[in-house]
């Protein structure tokens, strides 16, 4: 069994053939954790988790959401559905799309609300960080939170030190062509790695749609980079994800 810790199957890119995509993952024993963002994404993600046995939910909000009413509504939906979800996320900081200092401060304020929510609900945090690794890791440290860092964008040294601090580093499917992801996977010990697709994004073949079954390719690539066998990568990344999300199945 493999676990795709981060996908967006609720996105319209999957409207035409969602059943087939989920079935392809199921046929290869791939568990999917779908990340629902904002009130619309949250509702759709809860439906998917209800409908498919191999789909689970984390719920959050994109860091670039500045509509406070929408943010409040998302937080309320997360509270109401506490028992149906594995974690909170993705949430975090995005400095790639947000350059304005005031808006970046607002991102941090919003992010802290989700940290508080994760403590209140006792659910783990799945983090989105883009060009904001330093601030993000500092805020997590200040709050004494160990999180899952989705699609980690920092360098190998930053990744290794984040892993040493107790965070999980998630490797996406585009590791096939990304030197940065390859060096991160090499630097981080197996005990701190998990797999994701971020489907429909970050495909192993650029300009194509990504899907959860591609975590298999990621596991193979990590095995090759680390010079170990595929089964070790499968066992470790699955155990890491289960432990983090408190998943008790199988
Ligand atoms: Zn994502």
């Amino acid at each position: 069994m493999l676990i795709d810790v981060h996908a967006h199957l609720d996105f319209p890119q999957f409207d035409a053939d969602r059943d087939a995509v989920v079935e392809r993952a199921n046929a290869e024993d791939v568990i999917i954790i779908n990340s629902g963002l904002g009130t619309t994404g949250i509702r759709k993600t809860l439906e998917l988790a209800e409908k498919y046995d191999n789909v689970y939910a984390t719920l959050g909000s994109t860091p670039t959401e500045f509509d406070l009413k929408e943010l409040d509504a998302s937080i309320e939906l997360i509270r109401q559905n506490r028992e149906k979800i594995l974690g909170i996320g993705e949430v975090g900081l995005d400095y790639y799309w947000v350059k304005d200092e005031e808006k970046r401060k607002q991102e941090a304020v919003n992010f802290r609300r989700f940290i508080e929510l994760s403590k209140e609900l006792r659910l783990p945090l799945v983090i989105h960080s883009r060009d904001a690794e330093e601030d993000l890791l500092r805020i997590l440290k200040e709050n004494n939170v160990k999180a899952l860092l989705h699609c980690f964008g920092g360098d190998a040294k930053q990744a290794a030190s984040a892993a040493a601090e107790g965070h999980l580093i998630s490797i996406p499917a585009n590791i096939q062509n990304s030197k940065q992801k390859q060096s991160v996977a090499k630097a981080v010990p197996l005990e701190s790695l998990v797999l994701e697709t971020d489907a429909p994004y970050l495909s192993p073949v650029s300009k194509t749609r990504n899907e959860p079954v591609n975590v298999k390719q990621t596991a193979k690539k990590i095995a090759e980079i680390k010079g170990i066998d595929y089964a070790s990568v499968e066992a470790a990344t699955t155990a890491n994800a289960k432990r983090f999300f408190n998943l008790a199945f199988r």
Side-chain angles (χ1 to χ4, degrees):
M1 185 205 313
L2 290 169
I3 302 182
D4 177 359
V5 300
H6 190 95
H8 299 284
L9 291 192
D10 55 303
F11 282 16
Q13 286 93 329
F14 295 104
D15 281 352
D17 63 344
R18 189 170 286 109
D19 287 350
V21 169
V22 172
E23 185 42 45
R24 275 197 287 278
N26 203 19
E28 297 288 337
D29 208 11
V30 171
I31 300 286
I32 302 159
I33 302 181
N34 202 72
S35 174
L37 306 180
T39 52
T40 306
I42 285 173
R43 289 196 178 92
K44 283 188 182 165
T45 295
L46 288 166
E47 281 172 26
L48 296 181
E50 178 91 30
K51 180 173 179 190
Y52 301 110
D53 280 345
N54 61 328
V55 177
Y56 293 79
T58 66
L59 305 178
S61 172
T62 164
T64 55
E65 180 59 77
F66 295 108
D67 177 345
L68 290 183
K69 269 197 180 139
E70 162 70 10
L71 206 65
D72 287 346
S74 293
I75 288 173
E76 197 42 45
L77 276 175
I78 295 170
R79 269 207 190 91
Q80 286 166 8
N81 290 286
R82 155 72 180 87
E83 301 308 323
K84 296 181 184 166
I85 65 177
L86 298 183
I88 292 174
E90 61 198 289
V91 294
L93 300 177
D94 195 312
Y95 289 175
Y96 177 83
W97 291 112
V98 178
K99 307 287 184 205
D100 178 74
E101 270 310 313
E102 286 308 306
K103 284 204 154 163
R104 284 183 175 183
K105 277 184 195 157
Q106 187 61 47
E107 280 193 318
V109 169
N110 297 346
F111 178 40
R112 285 191 171 89
R113 289 184 66 188
F114 284 106
I115 294 177
E116 288 310 309
L117 187 67
S118 84
K119 290 186 172 178
E120 176 197 321
L121 302 180
R122 282 176 281 115
L123 285 170
L125 272 179
V126 175
I127 300 296
H128 169 105
S129 166
R130 196 162 180 197
D131 295 351
E133 280 68 30
E134 232 181 276
D135 282 356
L136 187 115
L137 290 167
R138 178 178 46 76
I139 292 172
L140 290 177
K141 200 170 198 169
E142 283 168 7
N143 287 276
N144 196 24
V145 175
K146 314 288 180 219
L148 187 160
L149 308 177
H150 134 69
C151 185
F152 189 76
D155 61 20
K157 206 176 148 200
Q158 254 176 338
S161 94
E165 284 177 18
H167 302 299
L168 284 182
I169 309 294
S170 179
I171 306 291
N174 69 346
I175 186 175
Q176 307 296 342
N177 333 297
S178 162
K179 293 276 169 253
Q180 177 258 343
K181 295 285 179 290
Q182 289 167 14
S183 66
V184 164
K186 191 168 190 175
V188 172
L190 204 49
E191 297 73 41
S192 302
L193 288 179
V194 287
L195 313 174
E196 70 169 282
T197 55
D198 204 22
Y201 307 124
L202 306 184
S203 175
V205 181
S206 64
K207 293 185 181 136
T208 64
R209 186 187 69 172
N210 197 5
E211 66 173 74
V213 75
N214 290 337
V215 286
K216 282 194 83 175
Q217 295 181 41
T218 305
K220 276 181 199 152
K221 187 74 182 176
I222 293 173
E224 178 193 315
I225 289 168
K226 289 189 170 300
I228 54 179
D229 55 14
Y230 174 85
S232 314
V233 177
E234 176 176 29
T237 55
T238 298
N240 296 340
K242 278 184 171 179
R243 195 172 56 241
F244 183 78
F245 287 112
N246 208 5
L247 266 169
F249 57 75
R250 290 191 268 180

